[in-house]
Amino acid sequence: MAESSRLIDELDETLTTGTAADRARLLLRVTDLFLDGAVQYTNEQVAVFDDVLGRLLVDIEESAKRELARRLAGAAVSPPRVARSLALDAAPAVAAPMLIHADSLDEADLVACARAGSQVHLLAITKRPVVSEPITDVLVTRGSDMVVRSVADNAGSRFSEEGFEALVERADGDDVLATRVGRRSDLPRHHFVRLLAKASDAVRTQLQDGHAEPPGDIRSIVARVTHAIAARTAAESTDYAAATAEVAALEKAGGLTETAVRRFANAGKFEHTTAALARLADLPLPTVERILLQNRAESLLFMAKALGFGWTTTRSILQMRHGDDAGPGGHDQDLDLLKSSFDRIKRATAEQVLDFQRTRHDHA
């Protein structure tokens, strides 16, 4: 540890009377000493290095910071406060290596950087092995097209329901992003359907080629309905598999009622609501899904009336499928009009319509 002793002897002198160049030279020497034994150091020893390097970083040139970040980014262990300081540095060239590689950064630091950093900072965050939901929520809202494409392409990215919704919205008119989002294995089915509905023919072809379904499935379904049924069929969808199993268990226990459907809809559980309606209406999942995703709500109103649902439940289903597409006040006005239509539908007529849908399926 003779080298360590000499460096410590130099530290006070350099901090007191040394120039920026002196600080930079000593900074790199201390960094080399740290990296030589970082894996073996105790937490207390790492803390000492953290303090020394942090003091040397004050008023140092950007070029020295860049070199320090480059060296520490690949280290198995990093001094935590120094790593944070470098990662949050205003200079992207300093921050990027740490934002990509440093394991010591916590989620709060990364969220703060995503909220305030430049687009280069944000792009660096998207390259991390794992990007959690609170971070991606900010990235998909604040990031540039390049940032959003990058985070969507990272298999280690995790997205919340709101994050996926924002991704699908931003993919409208962006074929590159639409393709990357559509190929994510964790994309919920209802978001995949909405993505397909907005996608170009070129994107649909690419997504179709990337799945194991029959070649013409997406193309034929998109041509048949405004909001397409996804190429991943309901029977093979992991989202629907879980929902269908839960609905079947609920039915066996005698709990598959209008109240259960309303509860699913109010919770925003699209697959559960679809599976429950399919079971109650005795219709295939894709048929009910298509009814829920059509722009016009008439088919849904007839199905709800045929099942004997009241307006409260029907409204919940409409609100679930509607999402946040309408402007302020617009959705309430639409619901008032739909309630008027719903009230005018006779149940006997609605039951005839439902019987016709079942017959059409049986002879398809």
Side-chain angles (χ1 to χ4, degrees), residues 54-272:
R55 293 165 67 189
L56 288 170
L57 273 175
V58 178
D59 296 328
I60 205 166
E61 292 183 355
E62 183 181 316
S63 59
K65 289 184 180 181
R66 288 201 305 267
E67 180 62 18
L68 177 61
R70 185 188 66 80
R71 295 189 184 190
L72 290 181
V77 178
S78 297
R81 285 185 297 171
V82 169
R84 181 179 185 276
S85 176
L86 294 171
L88 299 181
D89 196 277
V94 175
M98 304 305 295
L99 290 174
I100 296 172
H101 299 292
D103 292 333
S104 58
L105 301 176
D106 61 29
E107 186 175 81
D109 289 335
L110 292 168
V111 169
C113 185
R115 286 175 175 164
S118 71
Q119 293 300 315
V120 178
H121 288 78
L122 272 61
L123 184 62
I125 294 173
T126 70
K127 305 298 183 182
R128 293 180 67 82
V130 176
V131 190
S132 66
E133 291 182 4
I135 303 169
T136 59
D137 279 348
V138 180
L139 294 176
V140 299
T141 301
R142 185 169 178 266
S144 65
D145 289 346
M146 182 180 295
V147 168
V148 178
R149 289 174 180 178
S150 180
V151 75
D153 200 38
N154 184 349
S157 297
R158 299 292 177 261
F159 297 95
S160 65
E161 175 70 14
E162 293 75 16
F164 274 124
E165 184 175 346
L167 276 179
V168 171
E169 288 300 318
R170 292 201 58 164
D172 190 5
D174 185 340
D175 284 4
V176 174
L177 179 59
T179 301
R180 292 181 182 183
V181 174
R183 285 178 173 169
R184 290 193 62 89
S185 60
D186 57 344
L187 179 66
R189 179 179 170 80
H190 57 285
H191 287 306
F192 185 79
V193 171
R194 296 178 192 276
L195 179 72
L196 273 184
K198 299 180 179 183
S200 67
D201 290 340
V203 170
R204 289 172 189 148
T205 299
Q206 291 186 59
L207 294 181
Q208 180 174 281
D209 291 342
H211 291 79
E213 288 74 16
D217 192 41
I218 293 181
R219 189 181 304 110
S220 63
I221 294 174
V222 169
R224 192 167 66 245
V225 295
T226 303
H227 286 284
I229 300 300
R232 294 177 295 181
T233 64
E236 295 174 346
S237 166
T238 55
D239 296 316
Y240 272 126
T244 301
E246 186 172 333
V247 167
L250 191 63
E251 182 182 39
K252 186 175 181 180
L256 185 55
T257 63
E258 177 183 353
T259 300
V261 174
R262 185 169 63 250
R263 185 171 64 250
F264 287 144
N266 286 337
K269 293 185 176 182
F270 182 91
E271 289 84 2
H272 287 73

Side-chain angles (χ1 to χ4, degrees), residues 272-299:
H272 287 73
T273 304
T274 306
L277 289 171
R279 180 77 67 159
L280 290 171
D282 191 22
L283 289 172
L285 274 171
T287 299
V288 176
E289 184 181 61
R290 184 169 66 248
I291 290 172
L292 289 178
L293 291 172
Q294 285 174 339
N295 280 332
R296 299 178 66 85
E298 284 82 356
S299 295

